[in-house]
Amino acid sequence: MKKPTETVLRSLNCVSFRNLQDTHIEWCAGLNVISGDNGHGKTNLLEACFFLAMGRSFRTARVDALPRRGSSSFSLGGEVSHRQVSHRLGVKAGRGLRERTLDGCQSDLGRTLGVLACLVFAAPRLALFRGGPDDRRRFLDRGIVGGKPFMVETYRDHLRALRQKNRLLKQARQARPVAALRDQLAAFNDQLAGTAATIRREREDYVKRLGKVLARDEGPAELVPGRRPEISYQPHPTLEEGMTGSREQLMAAYEERAEDEIRRGHALVGPQRDDLSIHQDGAEMSRFASAGQQRATLIALKMSKMLVHKEMTGSYPLLLVDDVDAELDAHRTRRALHLLSGPYQVLVASASAEAWAGDRRVVRHLRVRDGIISRFS
Amino acid sequence: MTSFPGPVARLIDEFRKLPGIGSKSAQRLVFHLIARPADDVRSLAAAVADLEEGVRPCRICHQITDIDPCAVCSDPGRDTTVICVVERPSDVLAVEDSGEYRGLYHVLHGVLNPLAGIGPEALTIAALEQRLAPGTVHEVILATNAGVEGEATASYLARRLAAGDLRITRPAQGMPAGSELEYTDRLTLARALRGRQNMD
Ligand SMILES: [Zn+2]
C-alpha cells in the first residue's frame, strides 16, 4: 500500500533567477527528473527550489551571484501542500535584500522551514571530513533546525551572547581593572549557559538519532564499503561522568575558566567548540578513510538525516539530487535510489535523459536547454 | 545623481537618524513637509523645539517628564515599596496600560550592550541603588525586554542589587522570547506581571 506524500512542492515560479527563463513549473509527488546538458541550467532549477525553502543557496554564499545578468534581484514563489493544507511561499532577494513571505504575509526562516524543508545531494564536498569542526557543527545544526525550526532562535541568541561576551573579554584584556567587567561577564555567561545547555542537549539527541539509523540493517550505512561507519558527539566542555550538561553545570564550567578567558581575551568554553567524530572500526574517517569511503559515508549520512527528519517532524523533506550519475558508481546509484524510494518527493537533475527513459518511477520529466524548460517526451 | 539643496539634504539626514526610517522614507517625509502649508511646518518645528526645552528626565525615576518629579513619583496613591525597572520611557506606558501595576518605576535608558559600548555606567543603575539604599523598597521587578541583552541586564541587576531581604523578580510567564515590552499586548503583560518569579 502506498502512503501519501505529506509535503509536496506543487509549483515553482521563477523570475530573474540565474540563466532561467521566467517560468512557472508544476511538480508532482514522487520522482521528478530534470535532464539537460551541463551548463544549461538544470542545477539552477534545483537551486531555485532550495532557495525558496531554505533562504540560501547550496552552491554559493553570495546572494548577488543569483539574479540574472542585468537584474539586481530575483523572486521565487511556490505552492506547497503540507499535510493536506496548501501554503504559498515566496522570497525576493538580491544584494542587501531578503524578503520572505508565507501565505502572503511577511515571514521568517523558522516559520517557512516548518512548511517546506529541503535536503540536497549535490557534488559531494567532503568538508565534513576535510574541513574543521565548524563544518561538522553546521552539518548537525542544519539537521536540528530542519527538524525543530524554533531552534533558529536559540542558535541566534547563543551567537549574540557569545559576541557580547567576547567583546567584554577583549575589553578586559585591554583595560584594567577587570573587576567592573567580571559582573557583566557573569551576566552574559548566564545567558550563554542557558542556550548552550539547549544546544548541547539537541546536538546529543540528534547524533543519537543519526547513529541509530546508521546502525540499522538494510539502512543507509549499507552504501559504505567495509565496516559500518559510526558517529559520536564531542561536546565542549567535557564534563565528569554522570553530568548531564545542565545549565547549572555549564555555568560552573564557565566560571572555572573565567580567569583563563580574561587572560586570553576570548571565550574558551562552550558549544562553539563542539565537534563530531565519524569513525569506522575505531579509526577516525577523516584521517584513515579513502575518498571513496568518505563520499559513500557522506551519502549515507545525508540519507540518515532524511530519515531522522521524518522521525522528528512526521514528514520527509523535499529531496534534491544533483547529477546522481557523477556522484556514485552505477551500482550504488541504483542502491541509493532504491533505499530512497518512498513516500516523498524527489527532484533529480541528470545529464543523461536516456538513463531515465522507461523508468516507471518517473512521474515527471522536464528538459532544460539554454535556461528554457520544457516537457520531455 | 544630483544632490538636494542644503537645507533639504540636512533634514533628510536628520530624519534618517530616527529608528525605522531609511533614505527613501526620509526623502518622502521631507518632500511631504515641503508641500504642506507653512503653518503646519512651523508648528511641527515648535513641537520639536519644545522637546528640547520642556522635557527632562524625572530626578527620581528618570522617566521623561515635563514636571519634576514626574506624575507617578508624585502620586501619593502609588505603592512605594515596589519598583519596576524598564529599559525605555515607552515601556512605562506599556506597563501602565496593563492596569495591573500600582508601584513605582525606574527607567534604565538602555541595556548592557558591550558591542555598542554600553556598560552599566551608561545606564541609571547607580541612581537605582540610591533609591534602594534606605531599605523602604521591598521588591524590584526587572522588566527589561526578553532579548539577549535584556536578559543579561536583568541577570546583572539581580546580582548587583541583591541585598538583605529585597525581593527581586522578573515577569516570566507568557513573555515570548525576544519580545519587546512596548509591543506586548496588555493581557500578556498583565499576566506576566501577576506571575513574576524570584530571580536567584
Ligand atoms: Zn518619576
Side-chain angles (χ1 to χ4, degrees):
Chain A
M1 201 178 68
K2 232 181 142 198
K3 277 183 250 163
T5 308
E6 300 221 1
T7 305
V8 181
L9 177 62
R10 298 274 176 208
S11 64
L12 176 76
N13 281 310
C14 204
V15 177
S16 302
F17 189 80
R18 295 269 198 191
N19 78 327
L20 299 176
Q21 191 184 48
D22 292 354
T23 186
H24 173 86
I25 299 164
E26 311 261 326
W27 305 106
C28 297
L31 182 57
N32 298 257
V33 172
I34 308 147
S35 65
D37 291 334
N38 288 331
H40 280 252
K42 57 185 190 304
T43 306
N44 296 348
L45 197 50
L46 294 187
E47 189 182 27
C49 296
F50 188 85
F51 200 102
L52 177 65
M54 313 296 276
R56 63 181 170 88
S57 163
F58 58 83
R59 299 156 93 192
T60 175
R62 290 184 42 223
V63 185
D64 55 355
L66 301 177
R68 184 189 299 146
R69 201 169 304 162
S71 307
S72 60
S73 67
F74 63 90
S75 57
L76 303 166
E79 197 187 334
V80 180
S81 67
H82 180 61
R83 306 210 169 122
Q84 272 88 51
V85 183
S86 198
H87 293 285
R88 281 209 62 80
L89 285 180
V91 64
K92 193 167 194 275
R95 188 195 292 269
L97 167 77
R98 182 106 34 137
E99 287 168 11
R100 218 187 294 266
T101 56
L102 175 58
D103 297 323
C105 299
Q106 218 171 11
S107 184
D108 53 37
L109 182 61
R111 246 172 295 169
T112 53
L113 270 182
V115 172
L116 179 66
C118 258
L119 195 63
V120 67
F121 287 66
R125 280 186 312 229
L126 294 173
L128 196 61
F129 298 97
R130 296 175 190 176
D134 51 328
D135 288 293
R136 289 181 284 278
R137 286 193 298 271
R138 199 172 302 130
F139 174 82
L140 292 181
D141 294 343
R142 284 182 174 163
I144 292 167
V145 165
K148 299 185 170 177
F150 56 84
M151 279 296 292
V152 168
E153 283 176 22
T154 306
Y155 285 111
R156 199 172 42 206
D157 283 355
H158 189 267
L159 187 65
R160 175 104 189 138
L162 187 64
R163 289 178 60 219
Q164 295 283 21
K165 176 180 171 178
N166 277 330
R167 176 57 64 91
L168 282 172
L169 287 167
K170 213 167 135 197
Q171 284 172 18
R173 206 161 84 129
Q174 289 161 350
R176 308 268 152 187
V178 235
L181 292 169
R182 257 181 246 277
D183 292 339
Q184 290 184 68
L185 276 168
F188 280 99
N189 271 343
D190 252 358
Q191 303 314 303
L192 282 169
T195 44
T198 308
I199 291 171
R200 191 179 173 115
R201 194 177 58 234
E202 292 298 335
R203 283 181 179 163
E204 195 156 22
D205 172 70
Y206 191 74
V207 172
K208 204 174 285 169
R209 287 172 188 266
L210 279 180
K212 269 193 197 141
V213 172
L214 278 179
R216 253 182 231 169
D217 290 326
E218 305 270 307
E222 273 196 9
L223 291 169
V224 185
R227 294 288 289 270
R228 220 177 260 278
E230 293 177 306
I231 56 173
S232 53
Y233 174 46
Q234 300 179 325
H236 193 276
T238 40
L239 298 171
E240 282 168 44
E241 192 80 40
M243 285 196 175
T244 51
S246 68
R247 183 198 171 108
E248 290 71 27
Q249 288 165 4
L250 291 179
M251 190 67 193
Y254 286 18
E255 298 283 344
E256 201 176 300
R257 297 295 302 277
E259 293 311 310
D260 290 339
E261 290 189 325
I262 289 173
R263 211 167 312 130
R264 296 280 288 278
H266 63 95
L268 300 172
V269 201
Q272 72 279 7
R273 308 195 57 176
D274 283 357
D275 204 349
L276 174 73
S277 153
I278 308 165
H279 40 98
Q280 195 177 26
D281 217 3
E284 204 58 50
M285 289 192 77
S286 57
R287 274 187 287 166
F288 297 107
S290 69
Q293 274 174 317
Q294 291 181 352
R295 202 168 293 138
T297 303
L298 187 67
I299 306 283
L301 278 170
K302 286 225 169 163
M303 286 168 55
S304 306
K305 261 190 152 175
M306 175 140 164
L307 298 171
V308 168
H309 184 93
K310 161 74 175 165
E311 200 178 287
M312 289 169 81
T313 64
S315 55
Y316 287 102
L318 165 63
L319 192 61
L320 305 176
V321 184
D322 192 19
D323 220 350
V324 261
D325 341 41
E327 194 167 340
L328 289 168
D329 56 69
H331 168 69
R332 257 179 282 156
T333 305
R334 276 199 301 278
R335 184 88 196 100
L337 279 174
H338 172 70
L339 285 168
L340 286 178
S341 66
Y344 39 79
Q345 188 180 24
V346 190
L347 313 186
V348 178
S350 173
S352 158
E354 296 71 38
W356 302 94
D359 190 325
R360 292 177 51 202
R361 292 169 309 176
V362 178
V363 289
R364 172 142 305 195
H365 191 157
L366 301 175
R367 196 141 175 75
V368 184
R369 195 170 189 167
D370 268 335
I372 298 166
I373 295 147
S374 56
R375 289 288 281 272
F376 182 82
S377 46
Chain B
M1 200 180 98
T2 57
S3 53
F4 296 117
V8 174
R10 216 169 69 223
L11 189 54
I12 289 175
D13 273 352
E14 290 302 326
F15 274 134
R16 271 181 47 207
K17 294 176 189 164
L18 300 175
I21 306 282
S23 293
K24 281 212 181 104
S25 310
Q27 283 175 29
R28 210 168 49 235
L29 287 171
V30 172
F31 286 110
H32 174 77
L33 283 178
I34 290 173
R36 305 276 302 182
D39 274 354
D40 281 15
V41 179
R42 257 194 295 278
S43 93
L44 175 68
V48 173
D50 282 352
L51 270 185
E52 158 72 2
E53 286 160 23
V55 172
R56 57 193 163 280
C58 167
R59 79 180 80 146
I60 300 171
C61 71
H62 293 262
Q63 168 65 323
I64 297 302
T65 177
D66 54 351
I67 50 163
D68 190 16
C70 73
V72 173
C73 289
S74 46
D75 177 354
R78 307 289 300 206
D79 179 356
T80 56
T81 66
V82 193
I83 293 181
C84 178
V85 179
V86 296
E87 287 181 33
R88 288 178 305 235
S90 53
D91 294 337
V92 170
L93 305 183
V95 177
E96 283 293 282
D97 267 354
S98 77
E100 193 64 28
Y101 183 71
R102 293 299 300 158
L104 303 175
Y105 292 95
H106 193 86
V107 182
L108 292 172
H109 289 282
V111 278
L112 294 179
N113 189 340
L115 289 167
I118 299 172
E121 66 291 337
L123 310 175
T124 61
I125 298 173
L128 176 60
E129 283 176 321
Q130 278 172 23
R131 291 179 73 185
L132 299 177
T136 51
V137 174
H138 298 148
E139 180 180 359
V140 172
I141 303 169
L142 301 174
T144 48
N145 289 325
V148 168
E149 291 78 14
E151 296 281 1
T153 305
S155 153
Y156 174 84
L157 286 173
R159 260 177 222 189
R160 182 159 159 183
L161 302 179
D165 47 7
L166 177 67
R167 191 169 167 232
I168 299 177
T169 59
R170 178 138 174 85
Q173 294 168 0
M175 293 269 286
S179 70
E180 307 239 332
L181 213 49
E182 198 180 342
Y183 302 111
T184 309
D185 65 80
R186 284 174 200 208
L187 205 65
T188 311
L189 193 55
R191 232 180 270 133
L193 279 168
R194 242 177 280 139
R196 56 192 189 261
Q197 294 172 350
N198 282 315
M199 273 192 92
D200 42 28

